[in-house]
């Protein structure tokens, strides 16, 4: 698969984590300086790793300085494609496949063609697809272009705790659902299953008396957990056999997820139709028919969550982002947002 996910018949799923590590920085030390209008963030709304970058870009108000290209929800073995655009080409980069930007910099690139990826518009070359570093750098290196009132998603005084939480959430939850879904043996599946739900129980305990994962405002840690929780019932519970409990049956995590979903920047960047189409249509080794389920009912995402009583404020001393930029709205039929 272009995203490097497939069943490992010998047992445990292992993610290739060797990404293009070039960074776009304020001082340009890697040769790629922060410049408004120079780069294009390429995403798919289906992908949880890409969804993180969409959320962070919106929370920080970077829409006018970092344009965004949206690939379709499905891909073939070669690459994500721009089939949502009228002529099947990204209107800024002029390419049909994200693969072209990777090959422009690394001819014959053999690793996964993954999203999110940031492409240098003048040269058409991919700069980075290091999804974990991309969102951190949007917070720390693009500060000169943040909107007034942008939140601090990676504040220095909380950074060590955020990193600690992110490590275990990635290992056991973000990637844990994949280890369960792409396990090739009963033993490796059950090991991943137990590890996943053990960590979800730990998160439930952590969030029972605090509104957010670290500190009393939204941080990078909440962004990273949210994109997995949003996909849990539509995809991971059934498709990946993560079926001890649905998200809606885990009261604390369900309320926490609804709290974030109803916060500008989270629910308004979540496309449930693209999410379901990607997993069920692309992963034919798990779902050979490619049939996409009609459920679950999404209307409950807008029900009251009651977590305001725990204190805290989503944006701290900052403000919510404004309306979604023109051309970037999730179709109404793909979301329960009013």
């Amino acid at each position: 698969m272009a995203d490097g996910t497939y069943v490992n018949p010998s047992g445990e799923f292992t993610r290739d984590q060797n990404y293009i590590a070039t960074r776009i920085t304020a001082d340009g030390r890697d040769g790629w300086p922060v410049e408004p209008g120079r780069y294009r963030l390429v995403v798919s709304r289906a992908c949880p790793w890409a969804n993180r970058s969409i959320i962070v870009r919106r929370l920080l108000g970077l829409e006018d300085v970092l344009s965004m290209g949206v690939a379709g929800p499905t891909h073939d073995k070669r690459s994500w494609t721009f089939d949502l655009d009228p002529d099947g080409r990204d209107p800024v980069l002029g390419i049909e496949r994200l693969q072209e930007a990777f090959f422009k910099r690394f001819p014959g690139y053999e690793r996964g063609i993954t999203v999110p990826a940031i492409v240098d518009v003048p040269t058409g070359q991919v700069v980075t697809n290091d999804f974990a570093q991309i969102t951190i750098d949007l917070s720390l290196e693009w500060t000169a272009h943040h909107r007034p009132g942008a939140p601090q998603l990676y504040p220095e005084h909380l950074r060590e705790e955020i990193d600690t939480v992110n490590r275990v959430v990635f290992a056991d939850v973000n990637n844990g659902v994949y280890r369960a879904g792409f396990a090739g043996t009963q033993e490796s599946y059950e090991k991943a299953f137990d590890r996943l739900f053990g960590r979800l129980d730990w998160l439930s305990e952590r969030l029972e008396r605090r509104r957010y994962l670290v500190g009393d405002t939204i941080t990078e840690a909440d962004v990273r957990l949210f994109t997995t929780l949003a996909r849990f019932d539509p995809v991971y519970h059934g498709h990946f056999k993560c079926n001890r409990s649905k998200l809606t049956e885990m009261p604390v995590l369900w309320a926490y997820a609804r709290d974030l979903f109803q916060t500008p920047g989270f629910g308004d960047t979540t496309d449930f139709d693209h999410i379901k189409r990607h997993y069920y249509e692309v992963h034919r080794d798990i779902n050979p028919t490619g049939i996409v389920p009609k459920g679950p009912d999404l209307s409950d995402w807008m029900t009251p969550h009651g977590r305001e009583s725990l204190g805290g404020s989503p944006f701290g001393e900052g403000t919510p982002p404004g309306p979604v930029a023109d051309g970037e709205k999730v179709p109404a039929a793909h979301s329960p947002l009013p």
Side-chain angles (χ1 to χ4, degrees):
M1 299 295 180
D3 60 358
T5 50
Y6 51 87
V7 170
N8 178 6
S10 63
E12 185 173 340
F13 165 76
T14 302
R15 181 177 298 278
D16 181 356
Q17 296 187 53
N18 291 300
Y19 298 99
I20 301 169
T22 315
R23 294 174 60 190
I24 300 169
T25 58
D27 63 5
R29 58 186 177 272
D30 282 5
W32 306 89
V34 168
E35 291 181 17
R38 175 171 174 176
Y39 305 100
R40 188 156 176 82
L41 174 66
V42 177
V43 300
S44 168
R45 294 191 186 276
C47 171
W49 323 105
N51 198 172
R52 296 177 180 182
S53 62
I54 302 172
I55 292 170
V56 170
R57 171 180 173 270
R58 173 151 162 65
L59 293 179
L60 298 178
L62 292 171
E63 293 95 333
D64 291 340
V65 298
L66 177 62
S67 69
M68 184 171 75
V70 182
T74 62
H75 59 68
D76 57 24
K77 291 183 178 180
R78 288 187 290 165
S79 180
W80 296 90
T81 55
F82 295 99
D83 45 283
L84 299 177
D85 294 302
D87 60 354
R89 288 182 179 273
D90 180 86
V92 172
L93 299 173
I95 57 178
E96 294 180 338
R97 295 176 171 274
L98 180 57
Q99 183 186 58
E100 295 175 53
F102 280 69
F103 284 1
K104 195 77 177 286
R105 184 173 175 199
F106 303 106
Y109 186 80
E110 295 182 349
R111 294 191 179 277
I113 308 296
T114 63
V115 290
I118 297 183
V119 178
D120 180 48
V121 175
T123 63
Q125 296 181 7
V126 67
V127 179
T128 180
N129 64 340
D130 188 347
F131 65 88
Q133 192 63 50
I134 284 173
T135 52
I136 298 297
D137 283 345
L138 291 180
S139 281
L140 300 185
E141 301 293 337
W142 291 72
T143 51
H145 306 288
H146 289 180
R147 65 178 176 86
Q152 291 193 44
L153 300 176
Y154 197 54
E156 188 170 2
H157 70 288
L158 295 176
R159 210 162 289 169
E160 185 176 350
E161 187 177 0
I162 291 171
D163 290 345
T164 298
V165 171
N166 283 347
R167 276 193 294 272
V168 296
V169 169
F170 172 80
D172 300 343
V173 180
N174 301 144
N175 198 44
V177 292
Y178 285 84
R179 276 208 314 273
F182 289 100
T185 66
Q186 188 71 31
E187 180 183 7
S188 57
Y189 160 71
E190 292 186 8
K191 180 181 177 182
F193 180 100
D194 291 342
R195 187 172 169 184
L196 165 66
F197 282 100
R199 184 60 63 189
L200 290 175
D201 290 342
W202 178 85
L203 287 164
S204 291
E205 291 177 11
R206 182 180 181 92
L207 289 163
E208 190 170 6
R209 294 179 178 83
R210 56 193 301 166
R211 190 171 178 185
Y212 303 110
L213 277 173
V214 181
D216 57 5
T217 64
I218 289 168
T219 67
E220 175 81 15
D222 299 294
V223 175
R224 294 189 181 198
L225 178 57
F226 171 79
T227 58
T228 295
L229 295 182
R231 288 156 177 76
F232 204 88
D233 287 5
V235 176
Y236 303 144
H237 179 269
H239 185 58
F240 280 176
K241 307 180 187 71
C242 300
N243 63 353
R244 189 201 73 179
S245 313
K246 295 178 180 176
L247 176 63
T248 55
E249 296 167 345
M250 294 181 275
V252 173
L253 288 178
W254 175 222
Y256 166 80
R258 298 201 314 280
D259 186 4
L260 291 176
F261 185 86
Q262 294 169 30
T263 300
F266 288 83
D268 55 27
T269 63
T270 302
D271 188 320
F272 287 107
D273 177 78
H274 281 201
I275 288 167
K276 291 197 299 182
R277 286 181 56 197
H278 170 72
Y279 285 91
Y280 287 102
E281 291 182 22
V282 171
H283 299 156
R284 293 302 179 99
D285 46 351
I286 297 176
N287 185 42
T289 64
I291 293 172
V292 179
K294 289 187 68 174
D297 179 9
L298 300 174
S299 60
D300 285 352
W301 277 98
M302 297 308 298
T303 58
H305 51 76
R307 286 184 62 83
E308 303 94 340
S309 63
L310 296 174
S313 172
F315 303 104
E317 297 179 358
T319 58
V324 178
D326 289 342
E328 295 189 3
K329 292 182 180 179
V330 173
H334 299 183
S335 170
L337 286 172

